[in-house]
Amino acid sequence: MKPFIPLIAAFAICTLTHAAPPSTSEEKGVRFEDRGSQVVLDNGIIAATINKTGANVASLKFKGTEMIAPATRGANIYFSMDGGADYRQPQGCVFSVKAQSPEMVDVACRRIWKDEPQAFDIEAHFVLCRGESGLYVYAILDHPAKYPATGYGEWRMVWRPPVETQDWICVDERRHWQMPDPADYQTAQKMGIKEIVKLTQGVRAGQYDCKYDFNASYHDIGCWGHVYAQRKLGAWMVCGGYDFFNDGPTKQDLNASAGLNHIYFGRNHYGGSNPHLAAGETWSKIYGPYLLYCNSADDVEAMWSDAKERVKKEKAQWPYPWLTGVPQYPPAGARGQVAGQLIIKDAQKPRLSAANAWVGVAQPEANGNWQYESKHYQYWTHADAEGRFTIPSVRPGSYILYAFTTGAVGEFSKREIAVGAGQTTQAGELVWNVPHKGRIVWEIGMPDRSAGEFAHGHDYFHGYGWERFPHEFPNPLEFTIGKSDPAKDWNYAQCGYGTDNLQPWKWRIHFNLDAAPQADATLVLSLASADSARIDVFANDESKAVSTVTPAVQGGDALLRESIHAKYGLEQVTIPAGKLHAGENVITLVEPNVKTMRSHVMYDYLSLEIP
């Protein structure tokens, strides 16, 4: 470790608004106490006890109250990798103090790789600042050239807050409710899917409970956690920066669930990508910092509101000025930014604009895409009402710029965006001419990379939701352009039909043409998710498919894992002109792989284009 460098401006940097007024102990700054196998960081609001060799937190007290559930082994705030035989927590760490002053203490626990399945050194840091009501955490993975080829499947931190009654979970406006009491789980009915139970008593009696109920994009929510209403205490994960997460802003994963706060750095669920290092490859990446935040107020809404406000404060300070002397985390002055204006031109949709479009820069592998990029860092922002954007705090390097927005199929990209330290790279006016192969005859849905606008797109986060489909929709499903309502008549997922003996589920699209096409038509299938799937496409004759589509982008178990999207894919199907005629036409879609409910397609958007 590098020697401690005094932090001259630490007081101005670390003193933020917190949930408790200053006390005498706060005024004395951060206290550091070495207890042999443990150290204590205490600022009068937060007192954290760190296990030196285990890189975990044995105790986290907020204003004297313990915020960790009792642990059977070591601690209940910990890092871990993978599962099963490859499960790993850092153990046998070497402890050091990176920085120590009355304004801030940063301690490190470093595990040098020996024979674990994942050939990485893991260095976990815990940081406490004066006046803060939370503990900052970050971790660094190192793969020196001398290490063998390696990778990981899961890489995360878990915080188990106290398990109590009157526990409210807060993820977003939809997932915001009182959780079952501990006793309710004891009587819950076990289901065929091990992560799901059916509750038989308590506030959520009759409903399923599963950790996947709460999946969400970290970029969208910013914080997640639990509120213990009876004791008026909140326990939150709060993110200020997102550049270290893989697979871009649409990627979702686990966050809060019963008795847990997760943060998944690798976001491996829903088709997540993870870094794979070759033998002889030198690589290092920092994950974080993020904040384990505690607060207190008179009611649940006040604590949740406070946590969301805290997200804004953390974002405003990123990159944190107090984190110095770490090569993987350059200070603000050693980073650059990218600015420009996105202009969308779509002859079929002249009103479409770049307002609120996602614009980002990433460094995927050759022929890769940001949706599958995890070795490096990604930076994303929203364009303003005029399509103008500034992407701040970008590490120097060469990037590909990407953009996508609601209403447009596909995405824009521009290569060779060079970012220099302390510089603003002017990308200029970026004109995205959205391509079409003809006039749009009809559309179903809205291109936004999710199936949220369709039936059950608002309540997808419940286990065994597919059991409702045969009771709500016929087989074949009949959808008539101009008459049917996508929010009611088009389901968010096409999968096997039935409960026990699954059958292929035909979906028919009825539409009229004024005249027979003189050229081949194109069926646009914008996919929010596909898993173990293929799509047979028929046009006016269900005895022979005009095309069989095997989506190029697949995986993620979005249906079983209660989501409305996994990874985005785009398929375009040629419909021979002779297969369509004047008057009524029917295009039929069938997903024939129905051995299990894992096989499915979720449509983001469909359209028919005719030259």
Side-chain angles (χ1 to χ4, degrees):
M1 298 299 297
K2 294 187 177 183
F4 165 62
I5 300 173
L7 304 177
I8 298 173
F11 182 82
I13 293 164
C14 289
T15 302
L16 305 174
T17 302
H18 48 76
S23 66
T24 302
S25 54
E26 282 179 53
E27 294 169 358
K28 294 180 180 178
V30 182
R31 181 176 63 88
F32 170 82
E33 181 183 350
D34 193 327
R35 294 181 177 177
S37 63
Q38 298 179 324
V39 295
V40 177
L41 314 182
D42 189 345
N43 68 359
I45 305 170
I46 294 291
T49 302
I50 314 297
N51 288 323
K52 289 182 177 179
T53 61
N56 53 41
V57 183
S59 172
L60 183 69
K61 292 185 177 180
F62 170 54
K63 297 193 287 187
T65 299
E66 183 60 69
M67 300 299 289
I68 302 179
T72 56
R73 292 185 300 170
N76 263 336
I77 294 180
Y78 58 89
F79 293 92
S80 67
M81 277 186 175
D82 294 335
D86 291 338
Y87 182 77
R88 173 189 184 187
Q89 287 189 30
Q91 298 293 333
C93 300
V94 176
F95 177 81
S96 62
V97 179
K98 180 184 181 296
Q100 182 181 350
S101 77
E103 314 309 326
M104 184 192 77
V105 175
D106 181 341
V107 299
C109 305
R110 184 177 181 85
R111 167 63 180 181
I112 305 297
W113 175 74
K114 291 184 178 179
D115 56 0
E116 296 90 347
Q118 309 86 1
F120 299 104
D121 297 338
I122 300 178
E123 183 173 292
H125 286 252
F126 305 93
V127 181
L128 188 62
C129 290
R130 177 196 288 266
E132 291 293 358
S133 56
L135 181 71
Y136 288 101
V137 183
Y138 64 97
I140 300 171
L141 293 186
D142 279 312
H143 181 267
K146 63 183 180 181
Y147 284 8
T150 194
Y152 63 73
E154 292 186 279
W155 168 223
R156 65 204 159 229
M157 182 182 228
V158 175
W159 174 9
R160 296 182 184 273
V163 179
E164 298 184 359
T165 59
Q166 295 191 32
D167 171 9
W168 284 72
I169 199 164
C170 300
V171 173
D172 56 22
E173 296 300 331
R174 290 173 173 172
R175 278 76 60 86
H176 173 49
W177 57 60
Q178 185 175 348
M179 292 292 284
D181 286 345
D184 299 338
Y185 288 106
Q186 297 299 317
T187 62
Q189 177 185 352
K190 293 182 179 180
M191 306 301 297
I193 299 175
K194 65 179 181 179
E195 291 92 347
I196 302 177
V197 297
K198 188 172 186 179
L199 297 158
T200 60
Q201 67 177 41
V203 294
R204 297 186 65 78
Q207 301 190 51
Y208 295 106
D209 183 273
C210 177
K211 64 183 181 181
Y212 294 114
D213 293 352
F214 309 100
N215 69 82
S217 166
Y218 295 177
H219 284 71
D220 290 339
I221 59 177
C223 68
W224 53 92
H226 295 262
V227 169
Y228 303 104
Q230 188 171 12
R231 293 205 297 164
K232 301 180 180 180
L233 294 171
W236 309 91
M237 293 282 196
V238 176
C239 291
Y242 304 81
D243 55 6
F244 54 92
F245 290 117
N246 58 309
D247 299 358
T250 58
K251 184 70 184 69
Q252 82 268 28
D253 215 304
L254 303 176
N255 43 74
S257 61
L260 287 176
N261 281 333
H262 297 98
I263 184 165
Y264 270 75
F265 314 119
R267 299 197 293 189
N268 58 290
H269 300 94
Y270 308 99
S273 68
N274 291 300
H276 295 279
L277 288 306
E281 182 176 1
T282 300
W283 177 85
S284 184
K285 186 174 181 180
I286 184 171
Y287 298 84
Y290 51 93
L291 183 62
L292 310 184
Y293 182 59
C294 303
N295 63 3
S296 180
D298 289 336
D299 57 58
V300 174
E301 296 302 322
M303 281 180 271
W304 190 25
S305 178
D306 175 68
K308 289 185 285 187
E309 286 299 311
R310 187 61 190 228
V311 173
K312 297 177 184 177
K313 295 173 182 177
E314 297 303 314
K315 285 183 176 180
Q317 294 192 77
W318 190 274
Y320 297 117
W322 48 259
L323 183 48
T324 61
V326 178
Q328 299 89 345
Y329 194 85
R335 301 180 183 224
Q337 59 183 13
V338 180
Q341 183 178 19
L342 179 66
I343 299 172
I344 298 180
K345 294 184 177 181
D346 188 334
Q348 297 288 312
K349 301 178 181 181
R351 288 189 171 185
L352 185 62
S353 78
N356 206 43
W358 276 113
V359 186
V361 292
Q363 296 174 309
E365 300 292 326
N367 301 315
N369 181 264
W370 59 269
Q371 283 196 122
Y372 289 93
E373 201 294 300
S374 55
K375 288 179 73 172
H376 307 291
Y377 303 91
Q378 297 194 27
Y379 308 86
W380 290 86
T381 192
H382 283 291
D384 68 12
E386 304 299 324
R388 295 185 177 86
F389 62 87
T390 298
I391 306 171
S393 305
V394 180
R395 290 169 172 82
S398 180
Y399 293 85
I400 300 175
L401 183 145
Y402 298 95
F404 61 94
T405 194
T406 297
V409 171
E411 65 189 28
F412 172 88
S413 67
K414 182 178 180 180
R415 307 184 72 87
E416 298 181 357
I417 301 294
V419 179
Q423 299 177 3
T424 297
T425 299
Q426 295 293 344
E429 288 188 351
L430 305 173
V431 180
W432 179 11
N433 291 297
V434 180
H436 293 280
K437 293 191 175 182
R439 174 179 60 89
I440 297 176
V441 177
W442 52 256
E443 300 174 287
I444 301 175
M446 172 65 73
D448 63 358
R449 303 191 175 218
S450 87
E453 66 268 42
F454 302 129
H456 293 300
H458 66 288
D459 64 353
Y460 57 89
F461 42 85
H462 297 290
Y464 291 93
W466 52 86
E467 291 183 342
R468 297 175 289 182
F469 301 166
H471 304 289
E472 298 174 350
F473 301 97
N475 187 9
L477 180 150
E478 310 284 356
F479 188 92
T480 301
I481 299 297
K483 293 183 179 180
S484 299
D485 182 354
K488 297 178 180 178
D489 304 319
W490 189 272
N491 195 36
Y492 83 104
Q494 184 179 19
C495 53
Y497 189 85
T499 54
D500 297 322
N501 184 23
L502 298 178
Q503 301 296 317
W505 190 1
K506 289 183 179 181
W507 289 18
R508 291 174 176 158
I509 305 169
H510 299 262
F511 60 98
N512 284 287
L513 294 177
D514 293 335
Q518 300 303 303
D520 293 348
T522 299
L523 176 66
V524 177
L525 301 177
S526 182
L527 304 180
S529 175
D531 199 313
S532 306
R534 83 172 196 257
I535 308 168
D536 291 338
V537 181
F538 304 85
N540 291 319
D541 178 5
E542 294 182 359
S543 66
K544 185 177 181 180
V546 298
S547 181
T548 294
V549 177
T550 301
V553 179
Q554 298 218 31
D557 277 344
L559 181 58
L560 295 184
R561 289 175 170 163
E562 305 171 31
S563 184
I564 48 174
H565 73 93
K567 292 295 182 66
Y568 174 78
L570 177 62
E571 303 289 340
Q572 296 185 326
V573 180
T574 298
I575 308 293
K579 292 292 184 179
L580 301 175
H581 49 250
E584 183 180 358
N585 291 265
V586 180
I587 288 178
T588 304
L589 306 176
V590 180
E591 200 292 284
N593 296 340
V594 295
K595 291 183 179 180
T596 70
M597 276 297 177
R598 178 178 183 179
S599 301
H600 73 272
V601 174
M602 294 182 185
Y603 298 100
D604 164 40
Y605 165 84
L606 306 90
S607 69
L608 184 69
E609 298 182 359
I610 298 178

